[in-house]
Amino acid sequence: MELESETQELHLHVNGEPEGKNSTKERSHNYSWRLRVSLYVTLLLAGETIATLLGRLYYEKGGKSTWLETLVQLVGFPLTLPCYYYIKPEPSKTKTKTKTKNTYSSFLTLSLVYVGLGLLVAAHCVMYSFGLLYLPVSTFSLISASQLAFNAIFSYFLNSQKITPFILNSLVLLTTSSILLVLQDEPESSYSSSSKSSYVIGYICAIGSSAGYSLVLSLTDYAFEKILRKYTFKVILDMATYPSLVATIAVVVGLFGSGGWKMLRMEMDEFELGKGSYVLIAVGSTISWQACSISSIGLILEVSSLFSNVISTLCLPVVPVLAVVFFRDEMNGIKFVAMLLAIWGFVSYAYQHYVDEQNPEEEQELPQPEEEKEVTKDDKCHVQA
């Protein structure tokens, strides 16, 4: 019995299973994990839908500042600061010299991560604002479904995501859906500009925004796995706060550098719904976008960047329908077909994630018999000696 117990301990050591960390199968049956994931999913869907509609309402009723629309996507990060008060500091057991050296190295690495992600987030938000300005919200939402295709490409190189037949099918469908929207006879962005060039700019910005968002998710996932290597609530707050701080500074510099801040007062006075509604739209957008930010990072930490992107795309059939109801966007034949193809691509992508969740340890279980034989053989030799 003692020999079998020692063999099992050696087997666990060779397989490199981390202590104190539940397997994927155990985690999937954990009530608290399900509750956290459900909360993140709800906040992400509600936040993204509300923020997109409020952004379109801002432009619809007289708003013209893309800098302000960009700023409300980022400036809500102070809302998370009170959460740091409830985080207990981790006890330190390292020596002073070693601790100082490691702290400096860690600070430098994290600073580069936060600055890089922050600048990328700022660029993504700027393109998002221009895309939403020049395109109807229904068209913009459908084009945004291409973020799944970009996520598959970035995850393949950064997160070791395999390109399976289901994912490949999703890429083809989502690409076709976006191309159909470009081939429409007439641009529908009459509230911003009736020119074809404005529609093309909006389309390019929407595609660039989708690519930037997917790249941010994949890089965040990579940072969790390769750099941070921690899975705590504090890590989620840090990843939601510091990149947003860098991005906010970059956008504020652009707002004042371009002189766009001078027009905000006049814009508020001329807003069709009044000053109060102007402020409420800005505040509501800020809160909604912050809920999206925290939720997407939380889903990356709890599951993966792929899952976070898939959930984000769930808004695909919701936003166009609400846009038709509230903003009277036209749902023509091409747009309807594009929506069906995008939904089909999303289902294909989501099914691949379901298959991966059902067999999380398939590849890891194959080499185990050989390792067990080697451990048993070494153990027997040790006993005979």
Side-chain angles (χ1 to χ4, degrees), residues 151-173:
N151 185 243
I153 297 174
F154 294 136
S155 295
Y156 175 80
F157 291 102
L158 297 174
N159 312 124
S160 301
Q161 174 68 42
K162 295 182 179 179
I163 303 296
T164 65
F166 289 108
I167 292 181
L168 183 61
N169 178 62
S170 176
L171 299 184
V172 174
L173 292 172

Side-chain angles (χ1 to χ4, degrees), residues 296-331:
S296 62
I297 294 174
L299 289 177
I300 291 174
L301 188 147
E302 297 290 349
V303 189
S304 66
S305 63
L306 167 61
F307 184 79
S308 180
N309 216 335
V310 167
I311 296 300
S312 177
T313 315
L314 273 176
C315 295
L316 170 65
V318 178
V319 174
V321 173
L322 294 178
V324 172
V325 175
F326 291 106
F327 302 110
R328 298 182 180 180
D329 282 1
E330 180 183 355
M331 183 61 70

Side-chain angles (χ1 to χ4, degrees), residues 65-80:
S65 176
T66 53
W67 286 113
L68 179 61
E69 179 60 25
T70 302
L71 189 62
V72 297
Q73 301 176 46
L74 304 166
V75 76
F77 71 90
L79 296 175
T80 61

Side-chain angles (χ1 to χ4, degrees), residues 185-200:
D185 294 334
E186 296 180 359
E188 301 174 12
S189 52
S190 57
Y191 25 70
S192 58
S193 176
S194 59
S195 65
K196 185 69 176 179
S197 59
S198 297
Y199 183 83
V200 172

Side-chain angles (χ1 to χ4, degrees), residues 124-236:
H124 145 64
C125 291
V126 169
M127 288 187 289
Y128 180 96
S129 299
F130 276 99
L132 194 59
L133 171 65
Y134 291 127
L135 296 176
V137 66
S138 56
T139 302
F140 177 81
S141 178
L142 292 174
I143 293 176
S144 296
S146 61
Q147 68 190 37
L148 283 178
F150 288 111
N151 185 243
I153 297 174
F154 294 136
S155 295
Y156 175 80
F157 291 102
L158 297 174
N159 312 124
S160 301
Q161 174 68 42
K162 295 182 179 179
I163 303 296
T164 65
F166 289 108
I167 292 181
L168 183 61
N169 178 62
S170 176
L171 299 184
V172 174
L173 292 172
L174 292 171
T175 303
T176 304
S177 173
S178 298
I179 293 176
L180 284 177
L181 295 174
V182 182
L183 299 179
Q184 294 184 97
D185 294 334
E186 296 180 359
E188 301 174 12
S189 52
S190 57
Y191 25 70
S192 58
S193 176
S194 59
S195 65
K196 185 69 176 179
S197 59
S198 297
Y199 183 83
V200 172
I201 293 174
Y203 179 85
I204 294 175
C205 288
I207 289 291
S209 174
S210 298
Y213 179 74
S214 299
L215 181 57
V216 168
L217 291 182
S218 296
L219 288 175
T220 302
D221 197 355
Y222 180 85
F224 277 127
E225 294 292 334
K226 304 297 183 181
I227 300 176
L228 299 174
R229 297 181 179 179
K230 293 182 180 180
Y231 304 88
T232 62
F233 182 64
K234 182 180 183 300
V235 173
I236 299 179

Side-chain angles (χ1 to χ4, degrees), residues 227-287:
I227 300 176
L228 299 174
R229 297 181 179 179
K230 293 182 180 180
Y231 304 88
T232 62
F233 182 64
K234 182 180 183 300
V235 173
I236 299 179
L237 291 179
D238 290 343
M239 291 299 288
T241 302
Y242 294 121
S244 296
L245 173 61
V246 174
T248 300
I249 293 174
V251 173
V252 169
V253 171
L255 175 64
F256 283 90
S258 63
W261 63 276
K262 299 178 181 179
M263 304 298 297
L264 295 182
R265 183 69 180 181
M266 182 184 301
E267 183 179 279
M268 181 184 298
D269 294 335
E270 298 177 355
F271 196 66
E272 294 182 17
L273 299 179
K275 296 180 180 179
S277 298
Y278 185 91
V279 175
L280 288 177
I281 290 174
V283 172
S285 298
T286 300
I287 297 175

